[in-house]
Amino acid sequence: MEIGGLPLELWRLILAYLPLRDLGRCGLVCRSWYDLILSLDNTRWRQLCLGCVECRHPNWPIQPDVEPQSWREAFKQHYVASRTWTKNAQDLESSNCLYLFRRKKDRRVLYVGYGCEYENLRTALASANIYDRIILLPGVYEEQNEITLKIPVEIMGQGKLGDVALLVCIDQQCPTSRLCNLVFMPAWFTPVMFKTSIGHVQFDNCNFENGQLQIHAPGTCQVKFCTFNQSSIHFHNVALSVLENCEFVSSENASVTVEGSPTSDKNWACKHLSAFAKSRNILFNAPEASHCGSGSTDYFGNGSSGVHLRTCEIMVNSDKASDKENEINGNIYRGKEEEAITLDTEYSDSDVSTVSENEDDEQSVYKLSYHSHGLSHMLAKSIKCRPQNNGLLTLQSDMSLKSFQHELQRDKELQTLVNTIQGCLIRKCLFRDGKGGVFICSQGQARLEGSIFRDLTYAVRCIQNSKVIMLKNDIYHCKASGVFLRLAAGGLIADNNIHSNTEAGVDIRKGANPVVLCNKIHSGLRSGIVVLGNGKGNIRSNQIFGNKEAGIYILYNGNPIVSGNHIFQGLAAGIAVNENGRGQITENVIRENQWGGVDIRRGGDPVLRSNLICCGYSDGVVVGERGKGLIEGNTIYGNKGCGVWIMSSSLPHITSNQIGNNSIYGVAVFCRKDDASDYLANQAGNENFNDDGEAANWENDLDSEDDRFSSRRPINVALIESNSIIHNGAAGLYIKSSEALNIMANAVHANQDCGVAVFQSTQLTRIGNNSISCNRLSGVHVEAGCRVELRGNGIYDNKSHGLISKGDGIILENDIIGNRGCGIQLIQTADMKVTRNRIQSIHDYGIALLDLAKGLVQENTIFQGKSGSNILQQVSNAEDCIVQHNKLLTFKKKSDVSWTLENPPARPYIEGCTRGVSSTQSTQRVATVTTRIAARVEGRCHNNGSIFCTIL
């Protein structure tokens, strides 16, 4: 009959009465009939799916209120999966072919219950043939002894789920069986409700109450649409099993335990389960909404726990109209979709110029050219990369957050890992209100996909060389850590939403080495990720935000690789490295954290390379007491505290960084010890690092040191070299140290105070081959009692004196040119040896010796400035201040010969290229970054303190 003979609505009404088999036949008639059958998706197919006693809502228990994309497809998938238990018939020997035909013809249905042929399950099983169906009428069936299944059968309850209850212990000793629509309770003599060590068992739409299921290799199981209430399932060396659309409630221990490596002795069902798992693989199906791409919803479509992800912009010297739009009554205006936070610098390179536009241009003829000095290339790059008045610099593509699919495509080892781990597959399950979710031990393997773990003590625990694959799960409100790995455990934790847990979101320790990839880890009551006790791991491309303590916390010889993450809006440090923690921390965006962007102390010794550390509400990098580490090639920008805060008892190597536009000092070195009265404590967190009462005696539990960082350059004095330190709110470098310090080959430019301020230096501070220019006050300021050595520096165009000293030391072979005040001013009790310098001051004396100053001034070359002043000597004791053999050059207007700095050229002069050039190239991808993220830098603090993160 032609479809067009009746209205479509009438066809749908007629076809709504057809059973499943007839609907399938109608769909095979022709294309028109096939389309007609498909059009019944929200009517007849929905009715068949929800009316089937063998299954529940396709999205139960995760999203029971959300309809599937196709009811017909959901019903088809369940129908095919429910027949897996019968597929072993295809594997029988050819001698049994006739038996197969007889089985199909003679398959019986046996009824058990009051008034039926069989009154209990045991007698029905004794009479059943293979593949017979046993239907239990509503009632409670209790067996006093263990029941043994010796032939394949199907046992099904009649009526609604809950009408039929079994108080039994079943031991399966046959190739296959299926149980459906039943409530299992343990018998009086054992907590085990079902066990198998041979064949395959399939559970559909069952409830398990207060008992256990045990599956031993080579046995397998497939469990779907089942509820485990105070019950658990144990897998022992199982090659492959599937748990799908199940609910685990109120477990007293782990709900699912996977123990032992998958056996190579596989039963007939493994190949069918493997094909089923691949067909439902979350990696190869249409991609769902990713955690990493959105801040407003999780991948299940739910709100992300009330957390609002902000996108922020750095606007330097933005126009007044924009300020008025973004700020109302002194508060930052928050739009519905994004928040713009301005960074007001109020100064530029032109502000610190020593020449006014209104001044006589005649003075320009006196000036010596120095712009081609050895660090000019580094300074030019820094100024070029600074945000301009009329716009934003965009985040480069290699610093943007990578998607899981992108990471998977480029990492062949990761693809191999994902494809080889099988074991127990747990998909779209709900674990809630119990002690544990999934426990994997003794080289076990498991895959967890699209499940929810909530209100548990822990969600996943993986130990003893076991492997776990976790994809697109939701883990929250755990009383301890969400995911716990130790004792050489590994695997992949990817694209999960892990939030609001009492302890760490992910806890890695004792040699565990997982890949933690593209997750959202946020809103934790402590740290986001903790790596300790020789834990390792590859942590990359995650969003880690809004945690109460450090976003990533590394300690007790933890040694992870941390790369490509966005760590932001934490209530403490972004990354904390403490108690001999290490790690390789590269190419991360660390922003808007309440305390230090990165905090290193108490033996922490990481490699911190090519990160963007910006817009923090405190310091960018903190190197506290006994902190170490290589800090190289980072952009440290726009923080409300210092760019880098260093305690003098530490031993860092700080090289090739861009340190700019921070509200206080660019780099500050202090000698004070941590003191509870001075600093806020517990900012990185007091994690409970004991594991179930174990003593945290990590010193006796550490593996041998690896040689990951063996190529690092050894140092025995804190070293600050080859950095660009520009446009900071106070001094570029502020030193108040009790230890020796080396400051080499830095470009210190246009800071709002002195370029280098040495306020305390009981040990020798060496300042060599630096470019110190255009700072608002003096280039170098040395206080009384300080010991310094200045050698080979270029000190240019500072708005006050080039160098002012009240302390002791050596000033040797420097170029001090074009400063607004004196070139060198020695005052009070200064005792300096000033030798072989080239000095010119346009408006003041080249060298001024005042008060009680003493020392030796000899063999210097002094170029005449506009004022014509050269050396001023007004000291109380001329015998203690020797001035001799200096060369004074007078400018002759009629001469055609111009002054130049040569033999050597302008300092800092470094033959060939500086050591920092190659390292600086690695910073280019972060040097220009402002990431549409920033913090308002309000005011400037010129005290000796620092706002920073204290770990413990």
Side-chain angles (χ1 to χ4, degrees):
M1 184 176 180
E2 292 295 332
I3 296 297
L6 290 175
L8 186 59
E9 291 77 8
L10 187 55
W11 273 119
R12 290 175 177 171
L13 180 63
I14 295 171
L15 295 175
Y17 290 93
L18 294 184
L20 176 62
R21 186 178 298 273
D22 291 337
L23 279 176
R25 288 170 176 165
C26 290
L28 297 176
V29 173
C30 63
R31 181 68 184 181
S32 298
W33 278 85
Y34 177 74
D35 292 339
L36 178 62
I37 298 303
L38 289 182
S39 70
L40 304 176
D41 192 75
N42 289 322
T43 54
R44 183 55 177 161
W45 288 112
R46 183 178 187 276
Q47 184 183 23
L48 285 172
C49 192
L50 295 179
C52 179
V53 297
E54 300 179 10
C55 66
R56 307 185 192 185
H57 190 287
N59 290 326
W60 183 89
I62 301 296
Q63 295 174 296
D65 299 327
V66 177
E67 293 194 356
Q69 294 182 353
S70 170
W71 286 98
R72 175 182 173 277
E73 185 63 28
F75 187 67
K76 173 186 173 182
Q77 289 178 0
H78 173 72
Y79 183 86
V80 172
S82 67
R83 269 59 183 171
T84 302
W85 76 285
T86 64
K87 291 182 179 180
N88 76 311
Q90 304 169 8
D91 301 329
L92 295 179
E93 297 178 2
S94 59
S95 61
N96 292 331
C97 287
L98 295 177
Y99 177 74
L100 285 178
F101 288 106
R102 185 172 70 253
R103 177 195 61 77
K104 185 175 181 180
K105 181 178 179 181
D106 297 337
R107 183 180 182 189
R108 299 183 300 162
V109 178
L110 284 65
Y111 289 90
V112 179
Y114 180 76
C116 298
E117 181 179 359
Y118 305 98
E119 293 186 357
N120 57 61
L121 179 60
R122 188 182 297 273
T123 57
L125 288 171
S127 301
N129 293 321
I130 64 171
Y131 297 101
D132 282 349
R133 172 178 289 183
I134 299 174
I135 295 182
L136 304 178
L137 272 61
V140 178
Y141 299 85
E142 182 176 6
E143 297 291 341
Q144 299 301 316
N145 298 296
E146 185 178 274
I147 292 179
T148 302
L149 289 183
K150 296 184 178 180
I151 58 172
V153 293
E154 180 180 27
I155 304 173
M156 180 178 292
Q158 189 180 69
K160 296 180 180 180
L161 179 62
D163 290 347
V164 180
L166 286 177
L167 282 72
V168 295
C169 174
I170 299 176
D171 182 8
Q172 177 180 322
Q173 298 180 5
C174 59
T176 184
S177 65
R178 180 174 185 249
L179 299 98
C180 178
N181 202 39
L182 300 168
V183 175
F184 285 86
M185 298 179 183
W188 63 272
F189 55 88
T190 178
V192 178
M193 297 176 288
F194 190 97
K195 59 184 178 180
T196 181
S197 58
I198 298 177
H200 173 74
V201 60
Q202 184 165 332
F203 294 97
D204 290 308
N205 198 32
C206 293
N207 282 359
F208 301 92
E209 305 281 345
N210 304 300
Q212 298 177 9
L213 302 184
Q214 293 186 357
I215 312 297
H216 294 260
T220 57
C221 79
Q222 183 175 358
V223 185
K224 191 167 184 179
F225 296 118
C226 293
T227 297
F228 291 76
N229 184 17
Q230 295 185 350
S231 299
S232 60
I233 181 167
H234 296 249
F235 297 94
H236 300 269
N237 299 102
V238 173
L240 183 60
S241 289
V242 178
L243 303 179
E244 190 171 26
N245 294 95
C246 294
E247 182 180 28
F248 296 83
V249 185
S250 303
S251 63
E252 295 182 356
N253 293 294
S255 298
V256 179
T257 299
V258 183
E259 182 178 359
S261 61
T263 180
S264 58
D265 183 13
K266 300 180 180 180
N267 67 15
W268 66 269
C270 285
K271 66 178 182 180
H272 301 288
L273 292 177
S274 179
F276 171 78
K278 288 181 180 179
S279 68
R280 309 295 292 278
N281 195 322
I282 206 166
L283 296 177
F284 302 108
N285 294 334
E288 301 179 44
S290 171
H291 298 228
C292 299
S294 171
S296 58
T297 60
D298 60 28
Y299 79 97
F300 293 121
N302 301 319
S304 57
S305 305
V307 177
H308 174 64
L309 295 186
R310 300 182 297 169
T311 59
C312 308
E313 296 181 350
I314 296 178
M315 290 183 282
V316 180
N317 293 334
S318 55
D319 54 68
K320 295 181 179 179
S322 176
D323 290 342
K324 290 182 179 179
E325 292 174 358
N326 292 326
E327 187 169 349
I328 300 176
N329 296 327
N331 297 320
I332 299 298
Y333 171 76
R334 298 194 175 191
K336 293 182 179 179
E337 308 223 342
E338 67 178 10
E339 179 176 344
I341 303 181
T342 62
L343 178 63
D344 185 13
T345 58
E346 297 181 354
Y347 61 92
S348 65
D349 293 346
S350 61
D351 291 335
V352 294
S353 172
T354 59
V355 181
S356 171
E357 293 181 0
N358 297 324
E359 287 190 49
D360 186 2
D361 291 337
E362 184 181 356
Q363 70 180 39
S364 62
V365 301
Y366 293 92
K367 297 196 68 175
L368 291 164
S369 175
Y370 60 84
H371 295 289
S372 59
H373 60 74
L375 297 180
S376 58
H377 63 283
M378 184 165 67
L379 184 58
K381 287 179 182 177
S382 301
I383 296 174
K384 183 178 179 180
C385 295
R386 179 171 175 253
Q388 302 301 312
N389 295 352
N390 57 352
L392 299 172
L393 296 176
T394 59
L395 176 65
Q396 293 187 355
S397 60
D398 57 353
M399 289 291 288
S400 62
L401 202 63
K402 306 297 188 298
S403 69
F404 176 49
Q405 291 297 333
H406 179 272
E407 291 281 3
L408 190 63
Q409 288 172 4
R410 74 174 187 171
D411 194 331
K412 301 300 181 183
E413 292 184 5
L414 198 60
Q415 294 176 24
T416 302
L417 177 67
V418 170
N419 292 327
T420 55
I421 293 180
Q422 290 189 334
C424 179
L425 171 62
I426 301 172
R427 293 190 68 252
K428 296 185 177 180
C429 293
L430 173 62
F431 298 80
R432 63 179 178 88
D433 303 313
K435 180 177 181 181
V438 179
F439 179 47
I440 310 158
C441 62
S442 302
Q443 300 182 2
Q445 294 185 6
R447 298 173 65 97
L448 285 62
E449 300 178 358
S451 298
I452 291 181
F453 300 80
R454 64 176 175 86
D455 299 301
L456 304 164
T457 300
Y458 66 87
V460 179
R461 186 181 179 92
C462 184
I463 65 173
Q464 298 168 341
N465 292 96
S466 298
K467 299 289 187 291
V468 63
I469 301 290
M470 298 181 60
L471 302 174
K472 295 184 180 295
N473 301 284
D474 217 5
I475 301 170
Y476 58 97
H477 294 166
C478 293
K479 298 179 181 64
S481 297
V483 182
F484 189 98
L485 301 102
R486 71 168 189 167
L487 298 175
L492 171 65
I493 303 169
D495 213 9
N496 302 284
N497 187 17
I498 304 173
H499 66 92
S500 307
N501 297 290
T502 303
E503 299 287 342
V506 179
D507 189 318
I508 304 168
R509 63 178 77 185
K510 291 187 177 180
N513 190 19
V515 178
V516 183
L517 182 68
C518 297
N519 301 282
K520 280 171 55 178
I521 304 173
H522 61 98
S523 308
L525 300 183
R526 288 200 171 179
S527 298
I529 299 175
V530 168
V531 186
L532 70 156
N534 225 57
K536 299 179 183 178
N538 191 332
I539 302 167
R540 69 177 191 258
S541 298
N542 300 280
Q543 289 189 70
I544 304 172
F545 62 96
N547 297 287
K548 190 173 181 181
E549 295 175 358
I552 298 177
Y553 196 5
I554 306 168
L555 69 168
Y556 296 119
N557 271 48
N559 192 15
I561 297 173
V562 181
S563 64
N565 303 281
H566 285 204
I567 304 169
F568 58 99
Q569 296 177 7
L571 301 182
I575 298 177
V577 187
N578 198 354
E579 303 295 348
N580 300 310
R582 295 176 292 161
Q584 195 165 19
I585 303 167
T586 61
E587 297 183 359
N588 301 280
V589 176
I590 304 170
R591 60 178 173 88
E592 297 178 80
N593 294 286
Q594 197 69 38
W595 300 101
V598 177
D599 193 298
I600 306 165
R601 65 185 66 228
R602 293 188 178 92
D605 189 14
V607 171
L608 186 67
R609 180 180 288 125
S610 300
N611 301 279
L612 171 65
I613 305 170
C614 66
C615 308
Y617 296 101
S618 182
D619 306 313
V621 176
V622 173
V623 186
E625 182 181 1
R626 294 186 290 109
K628 299 186 235 180
L630 173 63
I631 302 170
E632 179 180 22
N634 303 282
T635 295
I636 304 171
Y637 189 91
N639 299 285
K640 283 191 174 182
C642 304
V644 180
W645 191 99
I646 305 169
M647 180 171 287
S648 62
S649 59
S650 61
L651 194 63
H653 183 184
I654 300 171
T655 178
S656 305
N657 301 282
Q658 303 282 345
I659 305 172
N661 291 89
N662 300 287
S663 187
I664 312 181
Y665 308 111
V667 178
V669 183
F670 288 91
C671 61
R672 294 186 300 179
K673 301 293 183 184
D674 291 343
D675 190 287
S677 63
D678 291 335
Y679 308 119
L680 294 174
N682 302 315
Q683 293 307 325
N686 288 325
E687 298 278 0
N688 179 14
F689 295 119
N690 290 338
D691 176 28
D692 294 339
E694 291 183 23
N697 187 12
W698 299 110
E699 291 80 359
N700 298 326
D701 189 36
L702 301 180
D703 295 340
S704 61
E705 297 276 339
D706 66 19
D707 57 357
R708 180 180 297 177
F709 309 129
S710 60
S711 62
R712 282 168 51 180
R713 172 183 168 193
I715 59 172
N716 51 20
V717 174
L719 176 60
I720 303 170
E721 68 168 345
S722 302
N723 302 283
S724 295
I725 305 172
I726 65 173
H727 297 286
N728 295 286
L733 286 99
Y734 180 91
I735 297 132
K736 192 173 182 181
S737 172
S738 58
E739 304 289 340
L741 176 66
N742 292 338
I743 302 171
M744 302 292 174
N746 301 281
V748 185
H749 177 76
N751 297 284
Q752 284 293 87
D753 202 285
C754 302
V756 178
V758 185
F759 273 68
Q760 179 179 325
S761 179
T762 54
Q763 300 293 325
L764 182 63
T765 297
R766 291 184 172 88
I767 304 172
N769 292 327
N770 300 280
S771 170
I772 304 170
S773 61
C774 299
N775 297 285
R776 187 170 289 276
L777 297 181
S778 57
V780 179
H781 182 103
V782 181
E783 275 293 326
C786 297
R787 296 180 56 209
V788 298
E789 176 186 299
L790 290 101
R791 185 190 298 262
N793 302 283
I795 304 174
Y796 305 113
D797 283 341
N798 296 285
K799 214 165 187 181
S800 182
H801 305 295
L803 188 154
I804 180 170
S805 175
K806 306 173 187 176
D808 305 339
I810 299 172
I811 305 172
L812 177 65
E813 296 179 349
N814 301 278
D815 288 346
I816 306 173
I817 306 294
N819 300 284
R820 177 64 67 101
C822 298
I824 298 176
Q825 187 180 72
L826 306 182
I827 60 175
Q828 296 184 9
T829 58
D831 186 358
M832 306 292 289
K833 182 178 180 181
V834 184
T835 307
R836 297 199 298 276
N837 300 282
R838 296 184 293 195
I839 304 168
Q840 182 193 47
S841 175
I842 301 294
H843 302 282
D844 210 327
Y845 288 94
I847 300 176
L849 308 171
L850 306 173
D851 305 328
L852 301 176
K854 57 185 179 179
L856 173 64
V857 180
Q858 69 177 9
E859 299 180 11
N860 300 283
T861 300
I862 303 174
F863 296 87
Q864 176 188 345
K866 183 181 178 181
S867 65
S869 304
N870 293 313
I871 299 178
L872 173 65
Q873 186 174 2
Q874 293 181 350
V875 295
S876 58
N877 189 353
E879 295 179 357
D880 293 333
C881 187
I882 301 173
V883 180
Q884 63 184 14
H885 308 308
N886 296 288
K887 184 178 180 180
L888 308 178
L889 297 182
T890 303
F891 180 75
K892 298 180 181 180
K893 294 185 178 180
K894 295 182 180 181
S895 175
D896 295 332
V897 179
S898 60
W899 283 341
T900 59
L901 296 174
E902 54 188 14
N903 296 322
R907 297 184 176 100
Y909 172 69
I910 304 171
E911 293 185 4
C913 60
T914 66
R915 183 183 179 276
V917 171
S918 60
S919 301
T920 304
Q921 293 174 354
S922 68
T923 71
Q924 292 180 13
R925 55 179 170 273
V926 292
T928 62
V929 174
T930 59
T931 71
R932 302 185 61 195
I933 318 155
R936 168 177 285 272
V937 181
E938 298 173 350
R940 300 183 181 87
C941 176
H942 293 277
N943 58 23
N944 293 338
S946 174
I947 312 166
F948 70 100
C949 168
T950 301
I951 296 291
L952 293 173

